[in-house]
Amino acid sequence: MRSKGRSRSYAVAASGQWTDEEEGRRRLPAGEVHAWEPGRNETVCGLSLSRSRLVRFAGVTWTDTFPESGGAADRVQRQCPRCASVAGRRGSDARPAWHRTNPRP
């Protein structure tokens, strides 16, 4: 059972890859990216890594795929919206747009 209070760190699984020659031939994600927890065989949204033929990038974090990060987002075309809703759209500081201030009993 997963605890709600624990912060998670997500890696990336992508539909393609490319090699950055400037950074010493480092493999980077390309195409559509999904959030993935290392040690699991599926993405956060439930896709099987092997059946979907997704490439794992354990060294690339989910926040590196955002265009404003300047990280590994050069050839990322699309982020999975289901993974983004779980892993965060802006990274670890992402919070829901609404907050209930007076919940009913």
Side-chain angles (χ1 to χ4, degrees):
M1 188 163 130
R2 295 181 183 175
S3 63
K4 290 184 179 180
R6 193 175 88 169
S7 174
R8 294 187 182 272
S9 174
Y10 296 102
V12 174
S15 61
Q17 67 181 352
W18 67 286
T19 306
D20 188 5
E21 300 293 336
E22 293 176 4
E23 289 190 25
R25 300 187 52 84
R26 182 179 173 205
R27 286 184 331 116
L28 295 171
E32 182 173 348
V33 294
H34 296 267
W36 164 66
E37 288 183 82
R40 297 188 54 109
N41 291 326
E42 65 181 14
T43 63
V44 174
C45 67
L47 289 177
S48 170
L49 293 173
S50 60
R51 288 185 181 176
S52 300
R53 298 182 186 215
L54 296 174
V55 182
R56 299 174 182 105
F57 295 91
V60 179
T61 62
W62 175 251
T63 55
D64 286 340
T65 63
F66 298 121
E68 60 272 6
S69 72
D74 291 343
R75 300 211 181 149
V76 171
Q77 295 174 351
R78 180 177 184 265
Q79 289 180 327
C80 171
R82 293 186 300 178
C83 288
S85 69
V86 174
R89 296 187 187 278
R90 296 179 312 271
S92 61
D93 64 335
R95 297 282 188 264
W98 59 273
H99 178 72
R100 182 172 289 161
T101 56
N102 190 9
R104 294 184 297 211

